Structure formats: structure tokens, C-alpha cells
Amino acid sequence: MSGHYEGLRSGQLAEAAGVNPQTLRYYERRGLLADPGRTLGGHRLYPPEAVTVLRVIKAAQRLGFTLDEVADLLETARHQRRDAGLAERARAKLDEIDRRIADLAAVRATLREAVAAGCDDLMECARHERCPLPFEDATPRS
Amino acid sequence: MSGHYEGLRSGQLAEAAGVNPQTLRYYERRGLLADPGRTLGGHRLYPPEAVTVLRVIKAAQRLGFTLDEVADLLETARHQRRDAGLAERARAKLDEIDRRIADLAAVRATLREAVAAGCDDLMECARHERCPLPFEDATPRS
DNA sequence: TTGCAAGCGGTACCCAGGTACGGGCTTAGC
DNA sequence: GCTAAGCCCGTACCTGGGTACCGCTTGCAA
């Protein structure tokens, strides 16, 4: 019964989840982590499930969701709403990622052409026509 | 002979190149744009070639080069050095882009699996095993 | 009981690539 | 000569995802 509390201190949670302790406070401010309980002295005391929440956050980040999107996803999950669950947002994110891949593929093609054409000096290429580099203004496209 | 100067004022150059006038000063600070001449009153006066330089910068950015890399590329071009021309850096950038595409493709595959598996709630998935989402810690891989 | 690590809140800083603001000058046209 | 627009410089702000520093308080064990 040594007067210590149940749960994890911020340092322990940070350690367990592999993040910086400061990041916990940051996530709390951003609404990703619910306000934890406190000891009498005001130190944070997290329930063990917090480790899972952090792992979920990191997994979602790896899938390309921003912290705002993750906060939203968690909020939806907490309130059992069905308005736009993970599946739908995952589909939207898939489209986004497909677009990013397409953009990168276009850039890759251009770079390949530049290498193939033997471009070796940007300014030179810009002057002497017939260089594959896209000097004309960007097509906004969005 | 109305007493006005030859060349472009910053507003004209910005307009011609499709950038914000503030961006010109920013590029100057970053070493991408050489210090232009000045009028007697201290206003910048750019040679017409500056438009080309700006187009080159924008083209290189579109190809995924950072401003520091572009500054380097232009510096190399100006001094006629052969130490690591555009071609070599373009090849390095190609590899970088290939890696980014591969990362995105992996994320895409995971998202597809999650959608296919019918995941609709992050926290639920994290608890009930057999969800394809990568909750285990990231493989650093770099 | 006392010593010291760990945690507290608030604020500032980091990266890139810009953009905005404000007070005061210059320039161009009439 | 006058006026309006344009430009000067310095500085602060923005996004996104954190990280660091500070002086002070708590927790806990020897």
C-alpha cells in the first residue's frame, strides 16, 4: 500500500509507446488524447489503454492521416457515430495517395528524360530549346 | 528619354514569373537570385534574364529539388564547375523519388487491405486481433 | 528527512517555403 | 508640384508535427 497511484505516469507511457513525453502533452492539446486523471499533486496518471490509443495514432499517421484527421477519427470512434467511419475515409485517403503517386511518377518520368537527354546545366537547358525540363508555368490542376 | 531605367522592377518580374514580390526578396536572401542592380533611389532593377532564372527555379522545384539544392545547382552552373552537375543530382533525386513511391505504394496496399477487411473503427480494430492495420511499432528502415 | 529524478505549465524554437504588416521612401504620370 | 502607386527594410506570422528550455513542485526511496 505504499501511497502510489494506479496507472502510468507520463514518462512511463511515453516509454511504453515509444514517443517523447512532450508529445503526450502536445497530443492532449490537439485533442488526440483525452485529459488523463491526476495525482493529488497534479501529475498525469494514464490508464493502461492509453498505450493502445497511442499505437493507433501512430498507425494512422503511418497511413498518411494528419493529426487533425486522426483526432476526428478517434472522436467519431468514441461517440459511436456512423457518419463517416474509417472505411470511407480510408477510401478517400487511398485516392489521395493514388494522386500523389501519379504526381511522383510524372516527376520521375521527367527526370528520366532529362538524364537521358544529357541535360547537365539548368540555365543552359532553359536557353537552348529541346530540353525536356518543364520550364513553362505549372498547370495548377487542382 | 524620359528618365526611367532599363530592366524590370520587382513587381514586374514577380508578375512575369508568376510569383509573389516578397518571394523575390526571399530568394535573394536564400542565394537563388543574384543581387540585382538598383535605381538611384534604391529600388531593385532586374535584367530580363531574371525571368528565365525564376522559371528554372520553379521547374527544379517541381522536380522535387529543395531550394537549397536549387541554389547549389545554380551556383554550380554559374561557376561552370563540373563537380556534380545536374545529371548526377537528377539520378540521385530519381532514387529518392523511387523510394517515396515505394513507401506510398506500401501505404496504399495497407489501406486497401483495411478497406477490404471492413475495418470501420480504429480502436475496435486495435483490440480485436486480425485487423491488417500496422499497430506494432514502425520498422525504422532508414 | 532529505535528496534528486520526474513532472508541471508556459513559452520559444525547429524544419521549408513562403506570406503579411507597417512605417517611410521613390517613382511615374499629370 | 502633387498624388497615388509601388517599393524599401525589418520583422512577425503561417502550416504540421513535434522538441527544448525554464523555474518550480511532487513523488518516492534510502
Side-chain angles (χ1 to χ4, degrees), chain A residues 55-66 70 73, chain B residues 122 134-135:
Chain A
R55 277 212 258 271
V56 164
I57 293 169
K58 288 301 175 192
Q61 271 191 301
R62 264 175 258 138
L63 292 177
F65 291 94
T66 66
V70 179
L73 244 16
Chain B
L122 278 176
F135 294 111

Side-chain angles (χ1 to χ4, degrees), chain A residues 97-132:
Chain A
I97 287 173
D98 282 341
R99 280 193 297 277
R100 272 166 40 205
I101 290 177
D103 284 354
L104 284 175
V107 164
R108 177 168 62 180
T110 306
L111 272 175
R112 286 228 176 98
E113 282 176 51
V115 169
C119 298
D120 205 43
D121 182 319
L122 278 174
M123 292 304 292
E124 212 57 34
C125 283
R127 276 186 295 265
H128 288 277
E129 274 311 313
R130 184 175 311 267
C131 164

Side-chain angles (χ1 to χ4, degrees), chain B residues 4-133:
Chain B
H4 70 162
Y5 305 87
E6 297 288 328
L8 297 100
R9 315 301 306 277
S10 53
Q12 296 174 319
L13 174 58
E15 178 81 6
V19 304
N20 189 308
Q22 310 271 37
T23 303
L24 298 180
R25 300 212 298 125
Y26 179 64
Y27 283 176
E28 199 176 314
R29 278 208 301 285
R30 294 285 304 257
L32 288 146
L33 232 37
D35 291 18
R38 300 285 181 137
T39 67
L40 293 178
H43 286 196
R44 286 172 181 77
L45 209 47
Y46 294 93
E49 304 84 67
V51 181
T52 305
V53 177
L54 277 169
R55 277 211 259 270
V56 165
I57 293 169
K58 288 301 173 192
Q61 271 191 300
R62 261 175 259 139
L63 292 177
F65 290 95
T66 66
L67 288 188
D68 276 353
E69 288 168 339
V70 179
D72 235 53
L73 245 16
L74 289 174
E75 195 65 12
T76 303
R78 275 197 260 279
H79 296 326
Q80 235 68 5
R81 280 200 225 98
R82 287 269 143 255
D83 53 47
L86 177 57
E88 186 172 335
R89 300 184 202 201
R91 273 188 289 271
K93 193 52 76 174
L94 255 174
D95 288 349
E96 206 181 305
I97 287 174
D98 281 342
R99 280 193 297 278
R100 277 177 24 213
I101 289 177
D103 285 354
L104 283 176
V107 165
R108 177 169 62 181
T110 305
L111 273 175
R112 285 231 177 97
E113 282 175 52
V115 170
C119 299
D120 204 44
D121 182 318
L122 278 176
M123 293 305 293
E124 211 59 33
C125 282
R127 277 185 294 265
H128 290 277
E129 273 310 313
R130 184 175 311 267
C131 165
L133 267 28

Side-chain angles (χ1 to χ4, degrees), chain A residues 6-10 13 24 28 33-34 36 44-48 50:
Chain A
E6 297 288 330
L8 297 101
R9 312 302 307 279
S10 54
L13 174 57
L24 298 180
E28 199 177 314
L33 231 37
R44 287 171 181 78
L45 209 47
Y46 294 92

Side-chain angles (χ1 to χ4, degrees), chain A residues 4 20 22-23 26-27 39 41 43 58 61 66-67:
Chain A
H4 70 161
N20 189 309
Q22 310 270 37
T23 303
Y26 178 64
Y27 283 177
T39 67
H43 287 197
K58 288 301 175 192
Q61 271 191 301
T66 66
L67 288 188

